[in-house]
Amino acid sequence: MISRPKGTNDLLPEDIWRWQKLELLIREECAKFNYQEIRTPIFEETGLFQRGLGEATDIVEKEMYTFNDKGGRSMTLRPEGTASVVRAYVENNLKGTGLPAKLYYLGPMFRYERPQAGRYRQFHQFGIECFGSSEPSLDAEVIMLAYGIYTKLGAKNVELKLNSIGCPNCRPNYLEKLKEALKENQESLCSNCRKRSLTNPLRVLDCKEKGCQATISALPRITDYLCTDCSDHYTEVKETLTLWNVDFVEDSRLVRGLDYYTKTVFEFSVENLGAQNAVGGGGRYDKLVEEIGGEPTPAVGFAMGIERTILAVGDAWQKEPDVDLYIVIIGDTKKEALLELIRARKQGLKAEMDHLNRSVKAQFKQANRLNAKYCLILGPDEIKQGKVKLKNMRDGEEIQLTLSDWLGGIK
Ligand code: ATP
Ligand code: MG
């Protein structure tokens, strides 16, 4: 027997309703904010991610599923959505369809990681990308859309952290100060941070090692080094969020894992998820479109981890019944059952009947298993008189109705 690959999941009917419910909510919220869906390939040329995400990121350094296709081209299963959407935006000249271009995606992502709770090798993301404007109101709108979804999910204790990590004008200045401070503190940092001090110093701020925390909290803060443009932008993002009653906390250590962010960065986390508590995040990436070969185009986006978000919902949701109606066959009433089944479905009911010649008792058991709201009971004597029984499975009440209009008894 071959098992599924490590770090992947089978999504079974007993859980899939959660996915469908979340996806429906996502699509409704996107529509309200005028975001349109885009579907891009699941694999891309490896160079897209190398260039887009940055060579010194966790993803590019060690997490990509890269392979050569039969033509010898290096391909990679997409580890995230933004690079692909940017490529598609440029390649299909979506600028021509009017700016800002507001796009969303939903689908599987692949990262070669050590599997654990909330961390898989194939996982799913919902994300939005907004191209063509550097206005802070759009940063706030992206955050608001995400915030609205988390709020509506009923997930408890969702926290929104916010920061600005500056732009190519002010960040180099900060990075100099940061590198100096890191140089002085090498001994108190983990080996990963020591390496990062040289390759990607900003990422040191993101280290989760306990031993590094004291040093990290004493490092210079990026928000003290922002240029006027970035600092005004940040202020306006915060003002708009406040105007919309979005709760956030500022965190000058928040940097996020990818190289492409400029100005705004943010992350949503949930208390009860343990180590893997980040359920989504995003930020502004004003240089990425250019990086990937398009015209300079400001942009801002967000990505949500679907698995972790569903974990965060926990038991806040109740499953809808599988069927509204289960038809119970007594004696030789199968033909009538077949007719009433189709009539019920035509009326829009979710309806089922027995196909296994079960006993009456076993049919009721099956109806309960499916959480049926009603059972329509077809007995041979009653059918002869044009009568049926309708049992309300919630309160057990049974009423007799005529065969021709029993549907009127369904509430
Ligand atoms: P982490 O720090 O947990 O590795 P990340 O910074 O790599 O997260 P992003 O690239 O920002 O994550 O992806 C956005 C969201 O996708 C995350 O907040 C998380 O909810 C989800 N996610 C990322 N990697 C995985 C994974 N391997 N399995 C499940 N969900 C994931
Ligand atoms: Mg990661």
Side-chain angles (χ1 to χ4, degrees):
M1 173 61 200
I2 297 171
S3 327
R4 61 176 185 267
K6 200 171 157 189
T8 65
N9 293 297
D10 295 315
L11 298 173
L12 303 176
E14 65 193 58
D15 288 321
I16 204 76
W17 63 274
R18 297 175 186 279
W19 287 67
Q20 291 167 344
K21 197 173 157 109
L22 176 56
E23 286 166 12
L24 189 66
L25 176 63
I26 285 169
R27 292 184 195 284
E28 281 170 0
E29 292 302 303
C30 283
K32 285 188 207 163
F33 284 71
N34 186 30
Y35 276 80
Q36 308 277 331
E37 187 176 6
I38 182 166
R39 299 189 191 186
T40 62
I42 276 170
F43 62 95
E44 299 270 0
E45 279 183 29
T46 302
L48 176 68
F49 302 114
Q50 283 170 335
R51 202 139 41 107
L53 277 47
E55 295 281 357
T57 55
D58 277 357
I59 295 181
V60 174
E61 271 184 351
K62 51 189 189 220
E63 295 173 1
M64 295 209 300
Y65 272 93
T66 298
F67 59 96
N68 285 333
D69 72 7
K70 290 192 198 301
R73 289 168 287 254
S74 179
M75 295 290 166
T76 295
L77 299 183
R78 63 179 186 196
E80 57 101 62
T82 304
S84 306
V85 175
V86 170
R87 181 207 42 73
Y89 170 83
V90 175
E91 191 168 339
N92 299 287
N93 191 26
L94 294 183
K95 181 188 163 194
T97 59
L99 295 180
K102 296 164 98 179
L103 304 166
Y104 81 91
Y105 60 85
L106 193 55
M109 304 293 160
F110 306 85
R111 296 184 193 177
Y112 196 83
E113 302 211 63
R114 191 170 67 77
Q116 50 199 294
R119 192 177 291 288
Y120 313 103
R121 289 183 175 173
Q122 175 172 339
F123 64 101
H124 296 74
Q125 282 185 343
F126 149 62
I128 63 180
E129 316 291 353
C130 177
F131 298 97
S133 168
S134 50
E135 281 298 302
S137 47
L138 284 171
D139 303 51
E141 197 184 73
V142 165
I143 296 173
M144 176 80 212
L145 194 162
Y147 183 86
I149 292 175
Y150 291 119
T151 310
K152 289 192 176 143
L153 288 175
K156 302 243 161 54
N157 305 318
V158 179
E159 187 181 64
L160 166 59
K161 283 191 201 136
L162 187 65
N163 193 20
S164 173
I165 57 169
C167 68
N169 289 328
C170 52
R171 202 186 304 155
N173 188 16
Y174 168 70
L175 287 179
E176 278 315 305
K177 293 284 180 307
L178 180 64
K179 276 186 198 159
E180 271 170 39
L182 288 171
K183 216 186 246 169
E184 287 162 19
N185 287 289
Q186 287 291 291
E187 319 77 55
S188 55
L189 292 170
C190 69
S191 60
N192 209 2
C193 281
R194 265 179 259 156
K195 199 181 116 209
R196 287 247 154 77
S197 304
L198 304 169
T199 57
N200 197 345
L202 216 50
R203 290 283 283 141
V204 173
L205 301 178
D206 202 29
C207 180
K208 302 285 184 299
E209 290 288 323
K210 282 225 166 61
C212 296
Q213 297 313 310
T215 312
I216 290 174
S217 63
L219 291 169
R221 291 161 183 272
I222 178 108
T223 34
D224 296 333
Y225 293 82
L226 298 179
C227 59
T228 318
D229 180 34
C230 286
S231 143
D232 290 350
H233 192 275
Y234 189 34
T235 304
E236 253 191 79
V237 173
K238 289 186 283 186
E239 281 172 0
T240 310
L241 289 176
T242 305
L243 187 70
W244 287 339
N245 287 322
V246 173
D247 293 322
F248 60 87
V249 288
E250 288 184 70
D251 179 355
S252 62
R253 308 289 156 207
L254 180 69
V255 289
R256 316 257 320 118
L258 307 170
D259 279 1
Y260 54 56
Y261 289 112
T262 48
K263 294 193 168 84
T264 315
V265 290
F266 58 93
E267 193 163 271
F268 290 91
S269 58
V270 175
E271 227 168 53
N272 60 347
L273 287 187
Q276 272 60 253
N277 68 354
V279 289
R284 178 162 280 285
Y285 52 93
D286 289 344
K287 300 291 154 198
L288 182 62
V289 180
E290 230 174 312
E291 195 70 38
I292 283 176
E295 291 169 29
T297 308
V300 55
F302 159 79
M304 164 190 285
I306 300 285
E307 282 83 353
R308 286 187 206 174
T309 300
I310 285 173
L311 283 172
V313 173
D315 52 15
W317 287 351
Q318 271 216 313
K319 189 176 190 276
E320 294 276 315
D322 291 329
V323 299
D324 302 308
L325 179 81
Y326 193 88
I327 302 182
V328 175
I329 304 165
I330 303 175
D332 59 355
T333 57
K334 179 155 184 184
K335 193 168 154 213
E336 286 77 11
L338 289 167
L339 279 169
E340 297 314 304
L341 178 69
I342 285 309
R343 200 147 76 94
R345 288 177 179 163
K346 273 194 185 144
Q347 282 295 308
L349 294 179
K350 296 186 280 181
E352 187 55 289
M353 63 178 257
D354 176 53
H355 293 283
L356 294 170
N357 295 315
R358 286 184 171 101
S359 71
V360 173
K361 197 174 157 204
Q363 290 182 59
F364 275 109
K365 208 168 152 194
Q366 178 65 3
N368 278 325
R369 199 177 289 137
L370 297 174
N371 217 350
K373 289 188 219 160
Y374 290 93
C375 277
L376 182 71
I377 305 159
L378 305 182
D381 298 339
E382 286 143 321
I383 287 284
K384 274 185 208 127
Q385 301 161 22
K387 300 263 165 60
V388 295
K389 279 196 199 116
L390 188 66
K391 181 173 181 180
N392 183 326
M393 300 299 277
R394 297 283 173 270
D395 58 17
E397 194 197 351
E398 213 173 88
I399 48 172
Q400 198 166 58
L401 295 162
T402 60
L403 178 59
S404 54
D405 52 29
W406 62 266
L407 274 158
I410 304 267
K411 304 267 162 358

